[in-house]
Amino acid sequence: MALLIAWVAGIICCGFASELPDPRGYAPLLAGLAVMAWRIRRPRWRAAAHAALALALGFGYAAWRAELRLAQALPAAWQQRPVEFVATVRGLPAPGEFGVRLALEVEKVLTPGAALPERVQLSDYRRQDWPPGSRWRLTARFKPRRGSANAFGFDAEQWLWSEGLLAGGSAGKARQRLEDRRDLMARVDGWRERQAARIEGALGAGRESALVAALTIGAQQRVARADWQLFSATGLTHIVSISGLHITMLAGIVAWGCARLLRRWPLLRSPTVATAALALLAAGAYALLAGFTVPTQRTLFMLAVGSACLLWRRQLSAFQAWWLALALVLLIDPFSVLAPGLWLSFGLVAALMLTTLARRRPPSSWRAALAGQWAAGAASLVPLAALFGGFPLLSPLANALAIPFVSMLLTPCALLAVALPWDFLLPLAGWLARLFYLGVEWLARGPAWHVAGAPWPLLALAAAGSLWLIAPRGVPGRALGALLLLPVLAYRPPGPEPGAFQATVLDVGQGLSLLVRTADHALLFDTGAGDAGRVVLPLLRGLGIGRLDVLVLSHHDSDHDGAAAGVLSALPVGRLLAGQPETLPAWRARPCRQGDGWHWDGVRFDIVGPDPEPAGGGDNARSCVLRVAGAHQALLVGGDAPQRQEDSLAERYGERLRSSVLIVGHHGSRTSSGETWLTAVRPRVAVVSAGFLNRYRHPHRETLERLRREGAIVLRTDLDGALTLDFGRELDWRCWRRQQPRYWRARGPCGDLSVD
């Protein structure tokens, strides 16, 4: 078992490696470890050599699988170029606000010289029908997998890599349907699609039908984003998917029914083996319907280990079965170590098993339920804080109520309704789903505890405290484990010193969002587009910011103020300034007035634009322009102000605009950052906030050339991810893609001119 643990540890280490090893150097290392394991005779040293070899083999296996996946990457020569290909629709298409998103398995590339990864993600903004298992000949333009790269929040690039979706694109107009695939997964997905249509036909399109489909056929993509936010706010996200609890429940029901039948009509010599086999078969079928996710794999493999022990008359401990299940999951998919679901699923099961150690007899049912709830709640504190930046305070109550309701009532009723050919039970399942939503909405009003992003030593200390809290009876001082949690709960990252400030340019894609922090204050300039909970709020909370002193919305454009409503609803804001305050009647915004300013902690903030009466330029001409000056360095933010307004401000202020760092106007558009403006500002560093391979082709090559002629170092969020600039005695900057290197994450130049 020690060798298996070492092999698993090797796979986990590879998942978070900054670079993959060179096979030419790694093969001799493996050979050397093998010789050591064979030649060493002392038992202790021999065991250590075997463990080191197992660790290296696990790392090497994961690296080999990673090299195979990296070899499928979209070639740079075919990025954003039309490619004709034949592909099969896999899984269930996910309807969204702007179109349908689906996963395709590429069979053949028809464009001469072109190449595509085996699996790609396609967006269809015309919302056409894409039945699962259907084959198509079509044309699309693809980008390599890339997601926003920020210190906190959902890492889309990590998720895409773990799912094997190495390129994403949009479907062209022309498509030709070919003969459908007839393999097992195509048939299963086709059945799932028909059941989803049947559920929606009986209950209507809405949240109830989406929840029933998620619990029965694993169609989680049909649940609306607003409902996912409700589940997240109550700590119930794990319940909505087909989880290990539901599979175990189904296996238990099948085993109970089989045992009752065989006890009454004893037809077999080994009823125990038959019962275990039928229960495992039912669990496997249910896991297949769920898409074979990590929680379902974990439960299925642990049940398989238990069934094998019954068949071979062997006995394994619960933790031995746990390690075997984890090893099987990683053998099939070593990239699942990057999925939060693996850590939550296996971690919570381990916590539940830990509470039962050293017990002479099992506790009563109600004591076991309370102990399990306590163990799950205590063990989930650190993972939720590390992965999601906090946890709902009512989560224990929500889980105590929701787990029995969903597992004992809603899921069995929904499963039975889908299994039967008649629809009379579906309305009952819909009514139970409606009742569940009423409870979730009520519980979601409760408070949440948001924690700042703590360094790993504090997280490790808190994890040890969690294990101490749920340790078996007899372990001394278990209550003292709570003290080890306090540093993580109370941690706040240190702010800049007086007279200095820090600016963080968030990676919000094609948009702008800039956070400026002084010793005791925080200002947010623009919010980017979309949902504030995707990038902006996780970063603010990760930095320990629970209140904004000032929110500046440069002008009314979705890529600048699209997430403003979410920020204003989630956080208290002392003052709201806007270039177009009339577009925010509900929030009592004040206009950005040229000449206004204030001091914070030895740092001066000045509104230098827009002009009181801008001549032409539309909404962009009314952009707020902000200059932040510390004791030694200055920052200038121009919003989307066009060259005409820039020239006017340069004429008015002249040398007073000089700044160490310039946030390049309009994402590097050709119509901003003119020669006059750059001559007045004379930036040492120019920051471009733009989306990766965006359709506007920002930043424009002419703008980049003007910046280089001015001698400015260019930093770009589309290449470098989120940018952190420290304005102290010296100017310093950090790029997230360089700061947190991973072999699967694209790295940017971070101002290094030698990097192409």
Side-chain angles (χ1 to χ4, degrees):
M1 188 57 65
L3 298 182
L4 184 67
I5 295 173
W7 186 80
V8 167
I11 293 179
I12 294 174
C13 291
C14 183
F16 298 95
S18 59
E19 292 182 359
L20 294 177
D22 187 345
R24 293 171 298 181
Y26 201 72
L29 173 65
L30 288 177
L33 289 173
V35 171
M36 289 176 59
W38 175 53
R39 298 286 296 178
I40 293 177
R41 298 304 179 188
R42 291 186 178 182
R44 182 175 300 177
W45 290 103
R46 185 181 180 87
H50 279 90
L53 178 61
L55 180 78
L57 286 172
F59 193 98
Y61 170 72
W64 171 67
R65 292 283 300 270
E67 291 284 6
L68 294 179
R69 180 166 288 187
L70 286 171
Q72 302 175 25
L74 179 69
W78 288 97
Q79 294 177 9
Q80 293 187 303
R81 293 180 59 185
V83 178
E84 187 179 15
F85 61 102
V86 175
T88 301
V89 178
R90 290 301 189 186
L92 302 183
E97 183 179 356
F98 302 106
V100 177
R101 182 173 293 175
L102 56 147
L104 296 179
E105 181 183 292
V106 178
E107 298 180 18
K108 185 178 181 181
V109 178
L110 304 177
T111 302
L116 290 176
E118 290 183 1
R119 295 187 75 229
V120 295
Q121 191 177 66
L122 195 72
S123 297
D124 177 20
Y125 300 105
R126 286 180 292 277
R127 299 180 180 275
Q128 303 172 96
D129 187 28
W130 300 88
S134 59
R135 296 174 63 245
W136 300 89
R137 177 174 179 167
L138 69 160
T139 302
R141 297 174 184 265
F142 288 97
K143 299 179 185 179
R145 57 174 182 84
R146 185 67 69 97
S148 58
N150 297 280
F152 307 100
F154 177 65
D155 193 335
E157 193 166 340
Q158 177 175 311
W159 178 82
L160 289 169
W161 171 258
S162 67
E163 292 290 315
L165 298 171
L166 304 186
S170 56
K173 293 183 179 179
R175 63 173 188 164
Q176 177 187 355
R177 186 165 182 175
L178 307 176
E179 183 180 359
D180 292 352
R181 288 283 289 268
R182 301 295 181 186
D183 56 21
L184 174 62
M185 288 309 303
R187 294 177 184 275
V188 170
D189 289 337
W191 181 84
R192 294 170 67 201
E193 180 73 10
R194 291 190 295 273
Q195 293 302 317
R198 175 189 166 202
I199 293 169
E200 192 168 300
L203 303 180
R207 63 195 326 196
E208 290 83 9
S209 60
L211 180 59
V212 172
L215 291 173
T216 53
I217 60 172
Q220 288 87 15
Q221 62 270 29
R222 293 177 179 265
V223 178
R225 182 175 180 81
D227 291 333
W228 281 117
Q229 291 174 340
L230 280 177
F231 302 145
S232 177
T234 50
L236 298 177
T237 305
H238 64 99
I239 288 182
V240 180
S241 59
I242 296 180
S243 66
L245 177 63
H246 301 154
I247 293 180
T248 305
M249 176 200 67
L250 178 64
I253 292 175
V254 172
W256 176 81
C258 181
R260 291 291 297 269
L261 289 175
L262 292 177
R263 190 178 301 118
R264 188 164 186 175
W265 295 292
L267 303 176
L268 300 174
R269 293 183 179 180
S270 302
T272 303
V273 174
T275 300
L278 286 175
L280 184 62
L281 184 64
Y286 197 13
L288 194 63
L289 295 181
F292 213 52
T293 58
V294 168
T296 61
Q297 290 179 42
R298 181 257 304 160
T299 304
L300 182 62
F301 293 155
M302 292 189 75
L303 289 173
V305 170
S307 301
C309 290
L310 286 174
L311 181 63
W312 295 330
R313 292 179 171 83
R314 299 286 182 89
Q315 186 173 358
L316 292 177
S317 69
F319 275 102
Q320 287 175 324
W322 184 89
W323 279 109
L324 283 172
L326 179 58
L328 283 172
V329 169
L330 297 182
L331 177 66
I332 296 172
D333 183 12
F335 310 107
S336 61
V337 299
L338 300 173
L342 179 116
W343 302 99
L344 292 174
S345 175
F346 277 91
L348 292 182
V349 170
L352 292 174
M353 293 190 302
L354 184 62
T355 61
T356 62
L357 288 179
R359 285 188 176 272
R360 296 181 179 179
R361 57 182 180 180
S364 60
S365 57
W366 69 270
R367 286 182 177 272
L370 289 177
Q373 188 65 36
W374 160 249
S380 64
L381 289 178
V382 176
L384 290 176
L387 296 172
F388 305 109
F391 38 85
L393 295 180
L394 292 182
S395 177
L397 175 61
N399 279 274
L401 297 175
I403 288 177
F405 181 85
V406 173
S407 301
M408 303 298 180
L409 290 177
L410 177 53
T411 300
C413 179
L415 278 174
L416 188 59
V418 170
L420 294 175
W422 309 284
D423 295 343
F424 69 92
L425 276 180
L426 282 174
L428 175 59
W431 180 82
L432 291 173
R434 192 176 306 115
L435 187 62
F436 172 72
Y437 272 116
L438 289 175
V440 170
E441 288 176 342
W442 178 76
L443 290 168
R445 299 171 188 162
W449 187 291
H450 298 290
V451 297
W456 71 264
L458 294 185
L459 291 173
L461 187 68
S466 296
L467 293 177
W468 197 0
L469 277 174
I470 63 175
R473 289 184 178 181
V475 175
R478 288 186 299 168
L480 296 177
L483 297 178
L484 301 183
L485 297 172
L486 294 180
V488 165
L489 300 179
Y491 176 76
R492 290 294 180 270
E497 296 180 355
F501 65 97
Q502 184 183 82
T504 302
V505 185
L506 285 67
D507 183 6
V508 293
Q510 184 62 20
L512 174 65
S513 185
L514 167 71
L515 174 67
V516 179
R517 300 170 62 209
T518 66
D520 297 311
H521 296 82
L523 174 145
L524 184 67
F525 188 100
D526 285 343
T527 63
D531 181 13
R534 186 174 63 91
V535 174
V536 179
L537 290 177
L539 184 124
L540 293 176
R541 289 165 175 162
L543 293 176
I545 297 174
R547 180 182 186 275
L548 289 173
D549 297 283
V550 173
L551 172 61
V552 180
L553 302 176
S554 61
H555 65 295
H556 185 48
D557 211 341
S558 61
D559 61 337
H560 288 261
D561 67 354
V567 173
L568 289 164
S569 300
L571 294 177
V573 175
R575 187 169 25 146
L576 175 61
L577 302 178
Q580 295 174 279
E582 65 276 8
T583 63
L584 301 160
W587 304 105
R588 299 179 182 178
R590 295 168 53 185
C592 288
R593 290 193 176 93
Q594 193 176 63
D596 285 354
W598 62 91
H599 281 91
W600 284 343
D601 309 317
V603 179
R604 176 71 187 176
F605 292 77
D606 288 296
I607 303 293
V608 298
D611 286 328
E613 295 181 3
D619 293 345
N620 289 348
R622 301 183 62 182
S623 289
C624 301
V625 181
L626 175 69
R627 184 173 185 269
V628 185
H632 306 281
Q633 312 284 341
L635 166 72
L636 185 62
V637 193
D640 276 359
Q643 283 192 29
R644 182 181 300 179
Q645 275 63 44
E646 290 178 345
D647 294 345
S648 175
L649 294 176
E651 181 180 355
R652 178 183 180 92
Y653 287 96
E655 285 289 323
R656 288 179 291 171
L657 290 176
R658 185 171 179 180
S659 302
S660 310
V661 177
L662 170 67
I663 307 297
V664 177
H666 205 180
H667 322 292
S669 166
R670 183 172 51 181
T671 61
S672 297
S673 305
E675 298 283 358
T676 304
W677 178 253
L678 294 179
T679 301
V681 179
R682 297 173 61 186
R684 178 185 167 193
V685 173
V687 175
V688 178
S689 180
F692 179 69
L693 294 179
N694 60 86
R695 58 176 178 165
Y696 306 104
R697 301 180 184 273
H698 294 158
H700 198 275
R701 55 184 176 83
E702 293 182 11
T703 303
L704 294 175
E705 185 59 32
R706 287 197 296 267
L707 291 168
R708 291 186 178 115
R709 284 200 304 267
E710 196 63 37
I713 296 172
V714 178
L715 304 177
R716 299 170 50 173
T717 60
D718 60 332
L719 301 180
D720 299 315
L723 307 167
T724 302
L725 301 104
D726 295 310
F727 297 78
R729 288 188 175 274
E730 301 293 335
L731 177 64
D732 188 25
W733 63 85
R734 301 182 299 280
C735 306
W736 179 249
R737 291 187 177 275
R738 285 286 188 95
Q739 191 179 354
Q740 293 290 327
R742 297 288 185 269
Y743 76 85
W744 42 263
R745 177 182 288 140
R747 302 185 191 183
C750 197
D752 186 352
L753 299 180
S754 65
V755 178
D756 187 6

